Amino acid sequence: MKKHLLPGLLLACCITTLSGQVSFGESQLFNDNWTFQKGDVPEASQPTFDDSRWRRVQLPHDWSVEGPSSPDLASATGYLPGGVAWYRKAFDLTPEQKGKRIYIYFEGVYNYGEVFINGHSLGVRPNGYISYLHDLTDHLTEGRNVVAVKVDHSKYADSRWYTGSGIYRDVYLVAANPVHIAQWGVFFSTPEISRDRAKAQVETTLNNTSAAEVTLRLEQDLVDPNGRIVSKSKTTVKVPAGQTATFPLFMNAKNPMLWSLETPHLYTLETRILQKNQLIDKTSTKVGIRQLTFDPNKGFALNGTWMKVKGVCVHHDAGCLGSAVPTSVWRNRLMTLKSMGVNAIRTSHNPQAPALYALCDELGLLVMNEAYDEWEFAKKKWVSGWNQGKPLFFGSSAFFSDWGERDLKDLVLRDRNHPSVFMWSIGNEVDYPNDPYSHPILDKEGIQQQHTAGYLPNQPHADRLGAIAKRLAAVVRANDPTRPVTAGLAGPVMSNETDYPGALDVAGYNYTERRYAQDHAAYPKRVLYGSENGHGYDAWKAVTDNEYIFGQFLWTGIDYLGEAHAWPSRGFTSGLLDLAGFKKPRAYFRESLWSTNPMIYIGTSFRFRNNRPSMDAPALWNYRDGSTVLVSCYTNCEQAKLLLNGQPIGEPKSRDAETGMIAWEVPYQAGTLEAVGLNGGKEAARFALKTSGRPHALVATPSVTSLSGQPDVVEITLQVVDDKGLPVFMADDEISCRIQGQARLLGMESGNPSDMGDYTDFRQRVYQGRLKAYVKPAPQAGPLTITFSANWLQEAVVTLE
C-alpha cells in the first residue's frame, strides 16, 4: 500500500436466510430443542446421560442476561454473572444425510466452548467471538446421536464490558458430499473497475475428504441485481486425496452496478461443483462491486468519491436480550442509525454475528471489523464492584499466543466477502499507556499523552507492540490483500516510538484529536482518522476542518451492558440510542451534524452546562409556571425560530459556531413550544413539545402488522399517554404483559440504565414514559393477542395474524 490505494473490490457474502455463513453442502438451522443446565456436569458429555429434568431452550441463548444481578459482581459485566453451563441436543440423521459428511457450525459460543459428539470431545475453542466448524462424521451412529457443549465462562470478568455467556449465536448442521466447497472457501476481488467493466478474480477452495484424487468441473455464474446472468466461467480441476486446493477463475461484469452507501447493489454468485457431470455441491453468495481509496492527504474515497466517515462504535448486546440479539432487532437499530446520517459501524472491539455484516451490506453501511481489545497481556479487570480493590487480569490474552493468529485468520476468511467491510482492525487500545505497556517517553514533559503515570519499567516494554502488529497484519494480508489493516491507538505518543504504527496501513486515533496536525506533519505518509471519539462538536470539527482526517467513530452508537458505574448501573450510557434502541437527545444533535435532510429538535432543562446548551436536553415541556427554562435546539437548517403557544420568542437564530447548537431562555407557560427550521427564510422543518397531563392509557405499536412474513421477533413499543393522547415523559408505571397464542416474551426493555430488576418476568417499569417488548412467534404461529396493562391505565392490545 505504498500509495494507500486499494483496487476495486467485487466481494461476496453468503447471507441467505437459511445457510447464514455456511458456504457448502446442505445446511439447516440447529437451534431448536436443546436442553440447558447451569453448573459443571462432566457426565453430561455422555450420550446416555439423563437430561430430562434440564431446562429446554431455543438458541441463540445467553444465560448471563437472565441474572440475577448483584452489587458484589463486576461492574464490567453490568453486575451480571458468568459461570459454567452445559447444552445438549439429540438428533437422528435423515435418509438424505446418511452417507455424507456431517458438520456442526457454531457462529459464536462464549466462551471456551468444548463440543462433544456421542461422548467424544472435538476440542475447545476459547475465543467466544469466533465462528468455527467441527466434523462429526467419524463419531456418528445409525440411530440417536447426542451433541453436548460445555461452556466455561467461570472467569466471567474477562472483558471490560458485557460479553454474555452461552451459545448466543446461531448453530447449523451441515451435510455434504466427501468432496465439497471448503467452509468460507469462495473469495472475490476485482483488480480492475471502470464505468464499462469490472474484472473479477474468483478464488475457490475445494475440500476432498475422500481417499482418491478427484477431477471436477467448477462452474460459476454472476447474476446482477435484476436477475440477469452477466458473466459465466468454468474450469476443470483436480484435488488430491485428503487435501484442499484453491483455484482461480476470472469473470467480467459489463457496466457494473456499484455497491455504495446510497445504492448498495448486491449481485449473486452461483458456484457449482460437478463430478462426472453430477452436481455434488453448490453455494449461492451475495456480492458487491466497489472501490476503496485511502490517501494520507485527501482521506478516504468510495468509488472515487471523497467522503467523511460518520461512524459509531457498537457492542454486540441489546439490553434485556443480552448478546443473543435477533436479526430484526439489529435491522431496526441499524436503520435508525442510518436515518440520522451514520454511514459506518465499528465492531467494538470484537467480531459480531454474521447477520450484522449482511445487514450492513444490504443497508449500505461501512464496517470497520475489529478483532481484539488485548493481545499478549490482559488489561486491568475489577471483579467485584466498580473499580474496587486490586484488579485482576483475566481475558483473551490467556489464549492469544496459541490462538491469536488462527482466530484472526478465521475472522478474515469468514467476513472478507462483505462489501460493507472496508478495514480490518487488529486491535483496540492495546497500547493503552501503562495498561499494560510502558515506555521511557512517558517520562517526558508536555507530550500531550492521556492516561500516563510516567514510565513504569516493571511493565511490558512498548517495543513489543511492533513485532506483534507485524505478525497480525501479515495474517490479514495473506488472506485478504484488498483492504487496509488498521488499529485504534490509545497511546500514539508512546506507539510512535515503536514499530507499531508502521505495521498498519491506516492509523486510528482514540480521543487524540490534538495530535492530528503534528502527527500529519511528522508522518506525512500516514493515513489518519478518529477510531474512537467523544460526541463533542469540537471532535467533529477536527474532522471537517482537516481534509486528511477521513472520519470518526463515536463512542458509542448504542448504550451497552457492562463497563458500568457504581451500583445501580447496568452499562455505559454515551450512546445515540438507549438500551431499548430509542433515540436519545444526543442522537438528534448528531443528526443535525450528519444528516443532509432538513431537521430540527428542541429539548429543555433548568440549567446550562457552563452557560451552554446541552446535547442531552430531553423533549419535555412540563414545568412550574413562571420557571425559566433553558431550551437547546439542534438543527441543520440555516436558522431557527422559537414559538410559545404561537407567539415568537425573539428573532430567528443561527447555529452557534462553537457549540453547534442554538439556545434560548424561556419563561414557562403550559401549552406548545415549537421550533421552526428556516432555509432561505422559508420553513424547512418543525418540532413541537406539548405539555402533557397525567398518565391515562397505554399505546402499543408493533414493528409488523401481521405474521405472514414469519418475523423472527416482533418489537412492540409501549408509550404512556394522557387523556389527549400526548406522551407522558415523566411516567414510570409498571407494565404487565400477557400473551395468548404460540409465542414467547424474550424480554421488556425500558432503556433505564439504573434499573437492576428482573428482566425475565412479565413486568417492567417504563422509563421516560416508554418501553419496548420483544415477542418471538413460534414457527407457523397462529393468531397472537398480546395485552399490556398497568394500574389505573387503559390497557393496550396487539393482535397479529
Side-chain angles (χ1 to χ4, degrees):
M1 288 189 54
K2 293 181 179 179
K3 298 182 179 179
H4 297 282
L5 296 176
L6 290 177
L9 302 176
L10 174 57
L11 293 171
C13 58
C14 190
I15 60 173
T16 60
T17 301
L18 176 63
S19 59
Q21 277 280 313
V22 180
S23 55
F24 70 101
E26 296 292 333
S27 63
Q28 65 182 60
L29 272 174
F30 206 55
N31 288 343
D32 294 337
N33 301 317
W34 288 74
T35 59
F36 168 75
Q37 179 66 38
K38 290 184 71 173
D40 193 3
V41 189
E43 58 270 26
S45 65
Q46 298 304 309
T48 56
F49 177 79
D50 181 7
D51 61 5
S52 60
R53 296 186 179 182
W54 283 20
R55 175 182 165 194
R56 300 280 171 174
V57 298
Q58 310 298 308
L59 305 181
H61 174 245
D62 172 9
W63 84 70
S64 283
V65 78
E66 298 170 355
S69 58
S70 168
D72 296 326
L73 296 175
S75 59
T77 71
Y79 301 96
L80 289 165
V84 178
W86 283 79
Y87 295 84
R88 285 168 50 89
K89 176 168 178 168
F91 67 100
D92 294 320
L93 295 179
T94 67
E96 294 77 16
Q97 292 171 331
K98 292 180 178 179
K100 294 187 176 182
R101 305 297 300 185
I102 306 298
Y103 301 87
I104 191 168
Y105 176 62
F106 294 90
E107 288 187 349
V109 179
Y110 206 92
N111 60 351
Y112 286 92
E114 182 173 9
V115 181
F116 297 84
I117 178 66
N118 294 329
H120 300 276
S121 176
L122 301 175
V124 178
R125 195 66 182 253
N127 193 325
Y129 297 103
I130 293 296
S131 302
Y132 55 93
L133 185 79
H134 282 301
D135 189 342
L136 308 180
T137 311
D138 294 341
H139 304 291
L140 295 174
T141 68
E142 285 292 322
R144 180 178 181 268
N145 295 279
V146 176
V147 172
V149 182
K150 177 185 177 182
V151 183
D152 186 352
H153 195 199
S154 53
K155 294 183 178 179
Y156 79 107
D158 59 346
S159 172
R160 296 190 292 155
W161 52 85
Y162 180 83
T163 62
S165 302
I167 308 177
Y168 69 105
R169 294 177 183 167
D170 286 332
V171 180
Y172 291 87
L173 195 69
V174 187
N177 286 304
V179 180
H180 56 261
I181 301 164
Q183 172 69 322
W184 309 321
V186 178
F187 178 44
F188 278 72
S189 64
T190 47
E192 298 177 23
I193 292 180
S194 68
R195 180 174 297 179
D196 299 327
R197 186 185 69 158
K199 182 178 180 181
Q201 177 174 313
V202 186
E203 295 179 4
T204 305
T205 301
L206 305 181
N207 185 11
N208 178 9
T209 68
S210 73
E213 181 181 72
V214 292
T215 300
L216 307 169
R217 189 165 79 247
L218 168 62
E219 299 180 347
Q220 288 170 320
D221 297 342
L222 186 63
V223 183
D224 74 11
N226 297 317
R228 297 172 298 191
I229 298 177
V230 297
S231 185
K232 299 174 73 71
S233 187
K234 62 182 179 180
T235 187
T236 299
V237 301
K238 292 185 178 181
V239 184
Q243 296 187 27
T244 61
T246 301
F247 304 97
L249 281 178
F250 298 92
M251 309 180 84
N252 290 290
K254 293 183 179 179
N255 304 314
M257 302 169 68
L258 299 184
W259 184 92
S260 70
L261 305 181
E262 299 75 24
T263 56
H265 295 301
L266 294 173
Y267 288 65
T268 303
L269 176 77
E270 303 287 353
T271 301
R272 297 179 297 275
I273 308 298
L274 294 91
Q275 184 177 20
K276 297 179 180 179
N277 293 323
Q278 295 294 316
L279 181 67
I280 61 171
D281 200 8
K282 63 179 181 179
T283 189
S284 180
T285 309
K286 290 293 181 182
V287 306
I289 303 171
R290 54 92 170 111
Q291 188 176 49
L292 307 175
T293 308
F294 292 85
D295 183 87
N297 295 310
K298 300 189 69 175
F300 168 70
L302 178 62
N303 301 326
T305 300
W306 299 100
M307 59 173 286
K308 296 296 187 182
V309 169
K310 304 169 182 178
V312 293
C313 302
V314 293
H315 281 251
H316 73 164
D317 64 276
C320 68
L321 300 173
S323 57
V325 185
T327 300
S328 63
V329 174
W330 269 121
R331 176 186 292 277
N332 292 336
R333 293 183 174 211
L334 292 175
M335 290 177 65
T336 300
L337 290 171
K338 183 161 186 179
S339 73
M340 296 154 39
V342 172
N343 62 21
I345 300 296
R346 179 189 184 194
T347 65
S348 310
H349 299 288
N350 299 96
Q352 295 262 11
L356 179 129
Y357 304 92
L359 287 170
C360 290
D361 293 342
E362 175 190 339
L363 299 175
L365 288 165
L366 296 167
V367 177
M368 173 183 168
N369 205 3
E370 193 153 69
Y372 302 116
D373 184 57
E374 58 189 35
W375 289 347
E376 58 176 340
F377 296 108
K379 295 174 181 175
K380 298 183 182 76
K381 312 290 192 321
W382 280 269
V383 300
S384 180
W386 182 50
N387 296 356
Q388 295 177 0
K390 291 184 178 180
L392 297 181
F393 296 91
F394 300 148
S396 59
S397 61
F399 51 82
F400 180 80
S401 61
D402 294 329
W403 288 92
E405 292 179 39
R406 179 176 173 182
D407 286 345
L408 180 60
K409 176 181 177 180
D410 284 353
L411 167 64
V412 174
L413 291 177
R414 191 194 74 169
D415 295 339
R416 62 184 177 174
N417 293 318
H418 289 286
S420 57
V421 175
F422 79 127
M423 293 191 292
W424 301 109
S425 172
I426 59 174
N428 169 66
E429 297 183 348
V430 295
D431 63 335
Y432 202 99
N434 293 325
D435 188 16
Y437 295 96
S438 196
H439 192 280
I441 190 68
L442 299 179
D443 278 339
K444 187 175 181 180
E445 294 290 336
I447 60 174
Q448 294 185 322
Q449 174 62 69
Q450 71 273 38
H451 314 306
T452 62
Y455 175 48
L456 302 178
N458 292 329
Q459 295 289 104
H461 199 286
D463 283 347
R464 300 173 67 92
L465 292 166
I468 299 172
K470 289 176 182 178
R471 293 203 310 269
L472 296 178
V475 171
V476 174
R477 293 171 186 139
N479 293 282
D480 177 20
T482 66
R483 297 176 179 85
V485 178
T486 188
L489 304 182
V493 174
M494 182 178 75
S495 290
N496 284 341
E497 301 297 312
T498 76
D499 292 336
Y500 183 17
L504 308 174
D505 301 309
V506 178
Y509 279 22
N510 287 11
Y511 308 105
T512 323
E513 292 86 358
R514 63 184 175 276
R515 297 287 310 184
Y516 287 167
Q518 65 191 96
D519 279 15
H520 177 60
Y523 309 99
K525 294 184 179 180
R526 182 177 296 179
V527 184
L528 288 169
Y529 70 103
S531 42
E532 189 171 317
N533 307 87
H535 291 250
Y537 187 52
D538 55 343
W540 178 237
K541 290 283 288 180
V543 177
T544 59
D545 292 351
N546 295 293
E547 183 181 20
Y548 58 88
I549 301 297
F550 70 73
Q552 68 171 193
F553 287 86
L554 294 179
W555 192 261
T556 60
I558 309 173
D559 288 354
Y560 59 94
L561 298 175
E563 207 164 1
H565 295 290
W567 176 280
S569 173
R570 295 165 64 202
F572 209 83
T573 58
S574 66
L576 299 174
L577 311 183
D578 66 16
L579 290 169
F582 294 127
K583 291 174 68 171
K584 297 161 64 176
R586 61 178 51 202
Y588 295 96
F589 175 59
R590 188 55 44 172
E591 185 175 354
S592 74
L593 302 180
W594 283 359
S595 177
T596 57
N597 298 319
M599 63 77 61
I600 194 167
Y601 169 93
I602 49 173
T604 64
S605 60
F606 271 128
R607 61 183 181 276
F608 286 115
R609 292 179 180 177
N610 301 322
N611 295 320
R612 295 187 178 190
S614 167
M615 73 176 73
D616 296 311
L620 172 66
W621 194 239
N622 283 73
Y623 293 91
R624 293 178 180 176
D625 288 339
S627 300
T628 298
V629 180
L630 305 170
V631 180
S632 299
C633 175
Y634 325 137
T635 184
N636 56 12
C637 297
E638 296 168 359
Q639 288 187 307
K641 65 179 181 180
L642 192 66
L643 306 173
L644 178 55
N645 294 325
Q647 299 301 310
I649 304 293
E651 297 296 320
K653 292 186 177 183
S654 299
R655 190 162 64 183
D656 182 79
E658 188 174 353
T659 66
M661 307 177 206
I662 301 172
W664 294 271
E665 293 189 15
V666 179
Y668 175 74
Q669 292 179 12
T672 301
L673 184 71
E674 291 181 283
V676 181
L678 305 173
N679 285 333
K682 297 182 178 180
E683 179 175 335
R686 182 180 289 256
F687 189 92
L689 301 178
K690 295 185 178 182
T691 304
S692 64
R694 292 183 177 277
H696 175 73
L698 293 172
V699 174
T701 306
S703 57
V704 297
T705 57
S706 77
L707 300 176
S708 60
Q710 289 291 299
D712 59 345
V713 166
V714 179
E715 295 186 51
I716 303 173
T717 299
L718 272 294
Q719 177 69 60
V720 178
V721 299
D722 66 10
D723 57 0
K724 296 179 181 178
L726 296 176
V728 182
F729 180 87
M730 301 299 290
D732 66 349
D733 301 82
E734 183 179 78
I735 309 298
S736 295
C737 175
R738 185 174 72 255
I739 297 176
Q740 295 172 283
Q742 297 180 342
R744 58 191 177 101
L745 180 67
L746 298 183
M748 293 194 289
E749 176 59 67
S750 69
N752 186 348
S754 60
D755 185 345
M756 311 302 290
D758 186 352
Y759 286 84
T760 65
D761 60 14
F762 284 74
R763 291 184 175 87
Q764 182 63 42
R765 286 193 177 276
V766 299
Y767 179 61
Q768 298 180 346
R770 61 192 179 182
L771 64 73
K772 189 166 289 183
Y774 301 100
V775 176
K776 183 174 182 61
Q780 307 301 321
L784 296 180
T785 300
I786 306 129
T787 303
F788 299 94
S789 59
N791 289 336
W792 318 114
L793 301 184
Q794 290 182 3
E795 67 182 20
V797 180
V798 173
T799 301
L800 300 172
E801 297 182 353

